Amino acid sequence: MEAIMGSDIKRGTAEMTAAMLISGTIGWFVVMSGQPVSGVVFWRCLFGALTLLVICGALGLLRPGIITLRAFGIAISGGIAIVLNWLLLFASYSHATISIATTVYNTQPFMLLVLGALFLGEKITATKLFWLTLAFAGMIAIVEAKPGTGGAASDGYGLGILMALGAAFFYALAALAAKWLKGTPPHLIALIQVATGMLMLAPMTDFSHPPGDVGSWGILVTVGVVHTGLMYVLLYGAIQRLPTHLTGALSFIYPIAAILVDRLAFGHALQPMQIAGAAIILLAAAGMNLGWTPRWLRPRAVES
């Protein structure tokens, strides 16, 4: 039994690591595609839907009666939120750099905390409030920091941060919808979401000027097949095999990978204040995800 559990942990760790590394490279693909953000998200949804359709078919998830009408409606609502999340996140890259946008985007657990308290009746404890306050302090540090001179980083820096915050908010809404869909096959939820996005964005996608070369098509196919279809399979596989604390810990590979990709591919180096703010946000998110409690907030032992 222990050997089986150990095997699951190893496989889940490998799947989660791969999923987060794939996620960390998506900014490079989005920028290098040369396509409008709405176009990138449309093709991501189209190729992702085709991939997930095959996966769901192979898993037997397309048979009638596997999802209720209510769950289908909630999945569509989550799909709208996840697509708005992608649109805002990808648009933020050109204003605040991939590094800053991804770090700010990692405030999503705190958005979900507030939404959970409002709509699910979940309690905000003193410990959670502490991490929320710390994350807000990190956000202030990033907002007050001066972006590097030249390039996209100095053009609409504040707008980029607001877009990344908006992306985090819509991701939290999608996660809230997922909480209401407990028991529904996650790959089917993902298929409904990307199909919803495809229908949403088709009217605003310029089909008269498609990508003009094989390289651009290759990038878009990769974003749909690898960063959407394959990434969902790896992520959900990992979540099913790993304990929550390990899933939370490995999720920080994503922003670290994104920061490294941004530095190596585009030469965007973080300024000292940005580094401090990013570190504070990631520390707060780690504390939140891993259930850390500061010593002064721990209940004192009653002496006998």
Side-chain angles (χ1 to χ4, degrees), residues 177-246:
K179 282 178 174 284
W180 284 326
L181 291 170
K182 190 173 182 180
T184 305
H187 299 93
L188 186 58
I189 296 172
L191 174 59
I192 295 170
Q193 288 178 338
V194 292
T196 299
M198 191 172 60
L199 295 175
M200 279 175 60
L201 296 173
M204 63 184 74
T205 301
D206 186 4
F207 296 105
S208 62
H209 295 86
D213 58 87
V214 175
S216 295
W217 278 116
I219 287 174
L220 294 174
V221 170
T222 301
V223 168
V225 175
V226 177
H227 291 88
T228 307
L230 177 60
M231 197 277 291
Y232 267 115
V233 172
L234 291 170
L235 179 62
Y236 290 145
I239 289 172
Q240 290 172 354
R241 292 183 175 89
L242 295 177
T244 303
H245 73 276
L246 192 51

Side-chain angles (χ1 to χ4, degrees), residues 117-142:
L118 291 174
F119 296 105
L120 300 178
E122 296 178 351
K123 186 179 178 182
I124 298 180
T125 63
T127 299
K128 291 178 179 178
L129 187 61
F130 168 76
W131 294 123
L132 178 61
T133 304
L134 191 64
F136 182 74
M139 180 62 55
I140 294 297
I142 287 179

Side-chain angles (χ1 to χ4, degrees), residues 92-183:
S92 70
Y93 293 157
S94 62
H95 295 285
T97 75
I98 295 171
S99 300
I100 292 299
T102 304
T103 301
V104 172
Y105 181 62
N106 270 269
T107 58
Q108 52 190 262
F110 305 102
M111 307 272 189
L112 186 58
L113 171 67
V114 175
L115 291 173
L118 291 174
F119 296 105
L120 300 178
E122 296 178 351
K123 186 179 178 182
I124 298 180
T125 63
T127 299
K128 291 178 179 178
L129 187 61
F130 168 76
W131 294 123
L132 178 61
T133 304
L134 191 64
F136 182 74
M139 180 62 55
I140 294 297
I142 287 179
V143 170
E144 291 297 320
K146 294 180 179 179
T149 57
S154 56
D155 179 22
Y157 180 68
L159 177 60
I161 290 175
L162 287 175
M163 285 178 169
L165 281 172
F169 172 74
F170 283 112
Y171 182 89
L173 286 180
L176 188 67
K179 282 178 174 284
W180 284 326
L181 291 170
K182 190 173 182 180

Side-chain angles (χ1 to χ4, degrees), residues 39-55:
V40 174
V41 177
F42 171 80
W43 294 112
R44 177 183 193 180
C45 289
L46 174 62
F47 293 122
L50 293 174
T51 305
L52 288 164
L53 188 65
V54 173
I55 293 169

Side-chain angles (χ1 to χ4, degrees), residues 21 24-25 28 98-100 102-103 252-270 282:
L21 288 173
T25 64
W28 183 88
I98 295 171
S99 300
I100 292 299
T102 304
T103 301
F252 289 95
I253 294 173
Y254 166 39
I256 293 170
I259 290 170
L260 290 175
V261 167
D262 198 25
R263 182 70 177 96
L264 295 173
F266 303 109
H268 291 153
L270 296 178
L282 294 180

Side-chain angles (χ1 to χ4, degrees), residues 18-34:
M20 293 300 97
L21 288 173
I22 290 171
S23 296
T25 64
I26 194 169
W28 183 88
F29 282 86
V30 169
V31 173
M32 295 305 293
S33 72

